[in-house]
Amino acid sequence: MAALIAENFRFLSLFFKSKDVMIFNGLVALGTVGSEELFSVVAFNCPCSPARNYIYGLAAIGVPALALFLIGVIWNNHTWNLVAECHKRGIKNFSAAATFLLFGSIMGRAAVAPVTWSVISLLRGEAYICALSEFVKPSSLDKFPADYGAEVLARFPCKDVPANLTKFRDEVTRRLRYESQLFGWLLIGIVAVLVFLTKCLKHCCSPLSYRQEAYWAQYRSNEDKLFRRTAEVHSRILAAKNVKQFFGFVALDKEEKELVQEFPVEGVQPSPQWNAITGVYIYRENKGFPLYSRLHKWAKGVEGNGPSPEGHEMLFLAS
C-alpha cells in the first residue's frame, strides 16, 4: 500500500513538472475568476445615468483586463530577456520568425488573465447591461410608452424605474444578458481554436523530436533551479566575507557557517560573463550538438550570437 501511494505521488510530481506552464495558466485563470467575482460583488456599481453607463461599463471590463495584461507582461521572464537582448546586442540576429515567436510567447501568456476576466464579465452580464441599456431602441419594445426615453432606459440596471416599466426592464435585461453571454461563449470558442492551432503549429515547426524537446524543458527547469539556489548561496557567502571585512567578524548561524566552510568564494563574476548568459535564447546547435541555453553556450565556449557555418539557429524559442 505504501509503495502504491509513493508511486502515485511520484506520478503526480512528474505530471506537474511536465505541465508547469499549463498549471500556471490554470491558476492564473482561477485567480482571475475569483477576483472578478469579488469585484462584481464589492466594487461594481452602475451609475444608471445616460452617457456615464457606457463609459463605466466598458471601463469595468477593459481597465482591469488591461492591468492584468500589463502585469502578465511584467512577470514574464521573456520580457526582461528581450529588454536585455535589445540593450546589449540588439535584435539584428533575430529572423522575422524568431521575433514573431518571441512576441507571441509573451503576449500569449500575458493574455490568459485578461481574457479570463473579459469572459467572466461577459457571462455575468452586469457590466454589459449597464453599458448598453440606454442604447436599446424604444421602438423595439412592444407598447413602450412614448414619453420615456434614454434617461429611463439608463436606470434599468438599477431597477429604479416606474412600476409600469417593470416588464420592459425585465425584457431589456434579458435581451442584453443574452447578447453578453453570447459574446462570452464566442470568445471562449475563438480562444480555444487559437490555442489548438498554436499548439499544432508549434509542434509542426519544432526542429526537435518530442523526447528531445521534453529533455530540453527538463534541462531549462533544472538549470534555473540550480542557478537560483547557487546564486543565493554565493551571494550570502560573499556578503558574509564583506561584512567580516568591515566589522572584523560576522554573526553566522550554524547552517551559514557550514556553507562558508564548504563553498569558498574568492570573488565575483565579471560583467561580460553575466551579459553572455543574459538575454533571449533561440535554440541553436554547434557542429551538430545542441546548446540548450545561454549558460550552456557560454560553458562550451561558443562565441557569437548569429548563424554561422558552425552554429546554426533553429528558430525555436524556449517556452
Side-chain angles (χ1 to χ4, degrees):
M1 184 65 179
L4 179 61
I5 294 175
E7 187 66 24
N8 287 335
F9 272 115
R10 184 166 58 180
F11 170 78
L12 290 175
S13 175
L14 292 174
F15 175 82
F16 281 111
K17 287 180 180 179
S18 63
K19 305 294 182 182
D20 55 346
V21 174
M22 182 183 69
I23 292 172
F24 176 77
N25 289 341
L27 293 176
V28 169
L30 289 176
T32 305
V33 170
S35 300
E36 205 282 336
E37 290 290 333
L38 180 63
F39 174 81
S40 297
V41 173
V42 178
F44 185 80
N45 188 15
C46 185
C48 294
S49 174
R52 296 179 181 177
N53 283 14
Y54 183 70
I55 297 175
Y56 184 83
L58 292 183
I61 298 176
V63 173
L66 176 62
L68 290 171
F69 177 78
L70 294 177
I71 291 173
V73 172
I74 292 171
W75 277 356
N76 195 323
N77 290 334
H78 286 327
T79 302
W80 307 114
N81 284 333
L82 177 62
V83 171
E85 188 74 23
C86 294
H87 177 66
K88 296 297 182 182
R89 288 173 282 268
I91 58 173
K92 58 182 180 298
N93 294 316
F94 285 176
S95 65
T99 304
F100 175 79
L101 190 62
L102 174 62
F103 278 100
S105 174
I106 295 174
M107 300 303 170
R109 292 189 183 183
V112 174
V115 168
T116 303
W117 178 278
S118 301
V119 166
I120 299 301
S121 297
L122 290 172
L123 292 180
R124 288 181 60 89
E126 282 86 352
Y128 187 89
I129 293 172
C130 177
L132 298 181
S133 62
E134 64 182 286
F135 297 103
V136 175
K137 294 182 179 179
S139 59
S140 65
L141 301 173
D142 187 29
K143 298 181 180 180
F144 188 81
D147 52 341
Y148 293 111
E151 179 139 0
V152 172
L153 290 170
R155 290 161 53 191
F156 278 8
C158 296
K159 302 180 181 180
D160 182 20
V161 296
N164 62 326
L165 297 181
T166 301
K167 66 175 183 179
F168 298 107
R169 177 184 60 79
D170 294 339
E171 181 180 350
V172 170
T173 301
R174 183 169 54 251
R175 182 188 302 179
L176 293 177
R177 179 169 282 111
Y178 154 76
E179 293 178 1
S180 179
Q181 292 182 348
L182 177 62
F183 290 140
W185 291 120
L186 288 176
L187 182 58
I188 291 175
I190 292 172
V191 171
V193 171
L194 288 177
V195 170
F196 172 75
L197 293 178
T198 301
K199 294 292 289 184
C200 291
L201 183 63
K202 177 179 180 291
H203 287 289
C204 289
C205 297
S206 173
L208 307 179
S209 66
Y210 172 77
R211 291 188 179 277
Q212 188 179 7
E213 188 174 340
Y215 177 85
W216 187 24
Q218 291 175 344
Y219 173 84
R220 293 197 311 271
S221 177
N222 289 326
E223 181 188 82
D224 183 66
K225 291 177 182 177
L226 291 173
F227 188 91
R228 291 176 182 272
R229 192 186 309 164
T230 305
E232 195 277 333
V233 173
H234 186 281
S235 62
R236 186 185 303 183
I237 297 174
L238 181 63
K241 291 183 62 176
N242 292 335
V243 171
K244 183 178 180 180
Q245 182 71 21
F246 184 82
F247 287 107
F249 73 96
V250 58
L252 301 175
D253 57 28
K254 182 179 179 181
E255 179 184 356
E256 290 171 335
K257 290 180 180 178
E258 293 176 353
L259 288 176
V260 171
Q261 293 175 357
E262 184 176 359
F263 304 110
V265 173
E266 300 300 332
V268 296
Q269 287 66 33
S271 294
Q273 289 187 8
W274 286 103
N275 294 335
I277 66 170
T278 303
V280 177
Y281 185 73
I282 305 296
Y283 177 81
R284 291 177 171 86
E285 293 183 357
N286 181 257
K287 299 180 179 180
F289 291 93
L291 299 173
Y292 289 120
S293 69
R294 283 197 173 277
L295 181 60
H296 188 191
K297 180 180 176 182
W298 173 84
K300 290 296 184 180
V302 179
E303 300 293 337
N305 194 39
S308 66
E310 296 183 351
H312 181 58
E313 179 181 341
M314 302 300 287
L315 303 180
F316 193 60
L317 180 69
S319 59

